[in-house]
Amino acid sequence: MKNAVFLFVFFVLISGILMGCDNNGVEEEQSDGLAITTSFSVLGDIIDQIIGDRGHVDYIVPIGEEPHEYEPVPSDFRNVSDADVFYVNGLDLEEWLENIVENVTDTEIVTLADGVTPIPLEGDDEADPHAWLSPKNVIIYVENLVNDLKERDPEGEAVYTENAEAYLTELEELDDWITEQVSQIPEEHRVIVLSENAFKYFGEDYGFHTEGIWEINSHEEGTPRQFARLTELVIERNVPGLFVETTVDTRYMETISNESGVPIVGEVYTDAVGESGSGADTYIDMMRHNVEVFTEGLM
Ligand SMILES: [Zn+2]
């Protein structure tokens, strides 16, 4: 993180010099509505569904990377400091970034997971941040988002209300569909084993036990003890299949699979949506993909 702070200071110096040269007291025009920045692609899509033509959304952590340990580059800070608002997940996900942002820009930080009941990390007081992996929580995110947007841009109220109603209906349909899909999986097979134990909120809402090689990507990853514990557990519980995520090196889970003889049966999206054209480039499509993979893999 020292690196990031250094880069940021560098960026502030450079931009200060540049502004001194060409600004001449003329404010940069923002003609295309609200400039919104958010931390990662999943929130980017959710905001996109609501904002309509009232603004545009950028996200910091690129698709394929995970937000827990991401090291920001100077353009990320420029992006946040130029924004009207910086929407974050909260539940300590972006703490590293918020600390830096708070010190160096006036951009307001708004937390979308406010009001979600936190689930603690195993053996820790810290909250698990992956609340977005349950659509029931994303309904709360959308409510927070819409309340903030209406205050920030009162003229857009009708647009936000209409888009939110449509999107909340889709989320409720997704929720019903998940319940229906899950009911096909034999109860004793409802175990999600991933590298990072990211589906705790999902598991609690839809009746899955969840396990990871590790609890969260920001902790130690892939120690001999973690491998031994999970290998023993998947054999003991007779787990039908293991899963990998698009944002974590799959070699960790391959080790568990080789040692336990339990196959890897699918890849899911946790900390990023899919690339465009993947069929999972929105939150709703990524969750549909995930649930299909779970259902097929655990039957
Ligand atoms: Zn994660």
Side-chain angles (χ1 to χ4, degrees):
M1 214 38 61
K2 258 187 200 150
N3 214 3
V5 174
F6 169 75
L7 283 172
F8 183 71
V9 170
F10 176 75
F11 159 70
V12 169
L13 290 173
I14 291 294
S15 66
I17 292 163
L18 291 177
M19 277 166 73
C21 295
D22 68 10
N23 205 355
N24 291 331
V26 182
E27 280 288 299
E28 226 182 280
E29 273 301 317
Q30 280 292 356
S31 54
D32 45 358
L34 280 178
I36 294 172
T37 299
T38 188
S39 46
F40 68 115
S41 57
V42 176
L43 298 185
D45 171 62
I46 293 166
I47 298 163
D48 240 351
Q49 305 296 328
I50 308 300
I51 192 75
D53 57 3
R54 304 292 304 171
H56 63 277
V57 188
D58 280 322
Y59 53 84
I60 300 282
V61 181
I63 287 176
E65 291 188 45
E66 53 88 22
H68 305 280
E69 294 174 301
Y70 175 73
E71 291 212 13
V73 297
S75 61
D76 296 332
F77 291 105
R78 187 158 53 237
N79 197 322
V80 176
S81 46
D82 286 350
D84 294 311
V85 56
F86 182 40
Y87 287 120
V88 296
N89 180 72
L91 299 171
D92 295 343
L93 179 70
E94 307 95 339
E95 207 171 15
W96 47 271
L97 186 55
E98 283 178 55
N99 287 341
I100 306 170
V101 166
E102 265 168 4
N103 287 330
V104 291
T105 81
D106 296 332
T107 304
E108 201 186 332
I109 301 175
V110 176
T111 303
L112 297 182
D114 267 354
V116 167
T117 307
I119 298 179
L121 296 171
E122 190 86 30
D124 209 312
D125 294 337
E126 257 179 275
D128 186 304
H130 299 94
W132 64 88
L133 290 172
S134 170
K136 292 183 199 291
N137 289 331
V138 172
I139 291 174
I140 299 174
Y141 284 41
V142 170
E143 284 161 357
N144 289 330
L145 173 66
V146 169
N147 288 340
D148 183 76
L149 285 172
K150 283 180 184 170
E151 255 177 56
R152 201 169 291 286
D153 173 28
E155 282 175 33
E157 177 160 353
V159 173
Y160 302 135
T161 305
E162 189 183 327
N163 290 350
E165 270 171 22
Y167 192 52
L168 289 171
T169 303
E170 280 188 66
L171 289 171
E172 279 154 20
E173 283 167 6
L174 175 66
D175 174 42
D176 289 344
W177 177 81
I178 295 174
T179 306
E180 192 191 302
Q181 292 296 303
V182 167
S183 70
Q184 302 172 37
I185 306 171
E187 244 172 83
E188 67 277 13
H189 288 184
R190 291 181 200 166
V191 186
I192 297 170
V193 180
L194 261 185
S195 310
E196 181 191 34
N197 188 8
F199 278 90
K200 285 200 279 296
Y201 291 88
F202 178 90
E204 182 160 291
D205 284 342
Y206 301 101
F208 286 84
H209 180 75
T210 72
E211 290 285 345
I213 306 174
W214 55 83
E215 270 291 279
I216 185 159
N217 288 347
S218 51
H219 289 177
E220 223 175 1
E221 294 170 21
T223 66
R225 223 176 120 229
Q226 289 172 339
F227 282 125
R229 186 196 75 90
L230 192 65
T231 302
E232 196 180 316
L233 187 141
V234 298
I235 294 170
E236 221 169 73
R237 281 195 71 133
N238 214 1
V239 169
L242 312 171
F243 301 94
V244 290
E245 49 269 73
T246 59
T247 41
V248 176
D249 190 330
T250 56
R251 283 175 293 185
Y252 294 105
M253 194 53 83
E254 283 156 14
T255 302
I256 301 283
S257 180
N258 290 336
E259 286 178 14
S260 64
V262 178
I264 293 173
V265 291
E267 184 181 57
V268 293
Y269 298 90
T270 57
D271 291 345
V273 297
E275 299 278 359
S276 95
S278 62
D281 60 348
T282 67
Y283 170 73
I284 287 188
D285 285 346
M286 100 178 203
M287 289 307 295
R288 283 188 169 269
H289 167 93
N290 290 347
V291 172
E292 275 165 8
V293 165
F294 291 147
T295 310
E296 280 164 29
L298 298 176
M299 290 299 260

